[in-house]
Amino acid sequence: MNDASDNATNNQRRMRVLVSGRVQGVFFRDSTRERAEALGLSGWVRNLPDGTVEAVFEGDGDRVGEMVSWCETGPPDAEVRNVSAETEEPENLRGFEVR
């Protein structure tokens, strides 16, 4: 028997995203945090030494998908060239941090 909490757990999703282009120095990380928090997602975002941005989003599957789609454009000054995303097992993260 499934109750509401089982359904919520079943819809949990985790995606790891790599974003390339002009995505550092354009408030990508801070904008990502704001958007993820507004969607009620957990996870983190960080700059990588090669100029890309890496992020993990966890939460409601539809909202995670919305966040991944947002990364395809990013904040106004970003110039996103590529977004790759892969599904991972949720780790039940709490909160969203800029690393």
Side-chain angles (χ1 to χ4, degrees):
M1 180 166 124
N2 283 349
D3 63 18
S5 64
D6 286 340
N7 289 336
T9 302
N10 291 339
N11 195 30
Q12 291 298 295
R13 187 172 177 200
R14 175 185 169 108
M15 297 289 291
R16 179 179 303 269
V17 179
L18 286 174
V19 186
S20 63
R22 190 165 76 100
V23 294
Q24 291 189 10
V26 294
F27 298 100
F28 202 101
R29 290 179 302 161
D30 219 35
S31 297
T32 299
R33 179 190 51 78
E34 288 175 4
R35 181 81 176 147
E37 287 176 345
L39 290 171
L41 299 177
S42 297
W44 51 265
V45 60
R46 67 180 175 180
N47 286 341
L48 295 179
D50 66 0
T52 61
V53 169
E54 179 183 29
V56 166
F57 306 115
E58 248 186 53
D60 174 79
D62 292 338
R63 291 181 178 198
V64 169
E66 186 177 330
M67 192 68 221
V68 172
S69 293
W70 179 87
C71 287
E72 294 174 1
T73 304
D77 290 335
E79 294 175 13
V80 176
R81 276 194 228 104
N82 188 52
V83 175
S84 63
E86 62 183 50
T87 302
E88 297 182 340
E89 282 298 313
E91 295 179 1
N92 298 315
L93 298 176
R94 297 287 177 247
F96 198 91
E97 70 175 290
V98 174
R99 294 185 171 174

